[in-house]
Each structure stands twice: as C-alpha cells, then as structure tokens.
Amino acid sequence: AQLPPEAQGQEEMMRKLFTTHLAVSSKTTLEFKEDNSFVSIRYEGNSQVETTGKITLDEEKKEIRMKGDSDEEFTYQLTDNLLKLSADSDGEKIELAFRRK
C-alpha cells in the first residue's frame, strides 16, 4: 500500500532495488591521518562524497569525537559494557547504543 501505483504488484523487485541501493550508499571509508584529521568517503547514488575534519580523543571518557568541516559531528564511546555511536548533523541527532549483559 505504501508503494506508488506504478510499483504495485512489484514488491519483490522494489525490495531488491532498495536493498541494493542501501548496500551501496551505506558504505563509508574513514582515513585517519597523523595530524588528528580524517577523511570520510561515502557514496550517494553514483557520486562520491568526501568529508574532512578533526578528531579529538578523550581517554577518561573513552570517547572519540569526529567533527567534520561541514559541522557534522560523530561520537564513538566504548567502555566495558557499552558501545555508543551518535551523530549530530543539521540539528538532527541520532544515537545508537549497544550494551553488553
């Protein structure tokens, strides 16, 4: 019911196209440099998008922050029982946490 009228009855084909699109667009490569900077390469459709920025490490909090030149900010926090990934971009905050039992 959510598909446009021209795609009705073609759910399997649409599912395969969507899965393929997600597999290509969700790949990101990070290159960390010795001067505490990084380059992130991701794909949007057929085009490659590069983001550069700086990395800061807070050993006490066990946290890595990556702030892109375009004001995107990513935080990775790893403790004995928690892996928390968060992103803040264009006023939208996303957080994903994995806890060990």
Side-chain angles (χ1 to χ4, degrees), residues 10-36:
Q10 300 180 34
E11 290 87 356
E12 186 62 30
M13 179 193 69
M14 295 299 291
R15 187 175 292 116
K16 284 181 183 177
L17 286 172
F18 185 68
T19 302
T20 301
H21 173 73
L22 283 178
V24 169
S25 65
S26 65
K27 291 181 183 176
T28 300
T29 302
L30 290 170
E31 179 184 345
F32 299 100
K33 303 198 176 209
E34 290 183 21
D35 66 351
N36 292 334

Side-chain angles (χ1 to χ4, degrees), residues 12-84:
E12 186 62 30
M13 179 193 69
M14 295 299 291
R15 187 175 292 116
K16 284 181 183 177
L17 286 172
F18 185 68
T19 302
T20 301
H21 173 73
L22 283 178
V24 169
S25 65
S26 65
K27 291 181 183 176
T28 300
T29 302
L30 290 170
E31 179 184 345
F32 299 100
K33 303 198 176 209
E34 290 183 21
D35 66 351
N36 292 334
S37 67
F38 71 91
V39 176
S40 168
I41 301 169
R42 71 181 188 281
Y43 296 89
E44 292 181 2
N46 293 329
S47 61
Q48 179 177 309
V49 178
E50 288 190 16
T51 303
T52 58
K54 292 289 183 187
I55 301 168
T56 56
L57 175 66
D58 185 333
E59 290 187 43
E60 190 174 311
K61 289 183 177 180
K62 299 185 187 272
E63 185 176 270
I64 297 171
R65 287 188 178 273
M66 299 171 60
K67 184 163 176 90
D69 294 339
S70 61
D71 288 334
E72 291 178 312
E73 188 169 336
F74 301 93
T75 305
Y76 302 90
Q77 182 182 20
L78 181 61
T79 62
D80 291 338
N81 64 346
L82 173 71
L83 168 61
K84 185 162 89 173

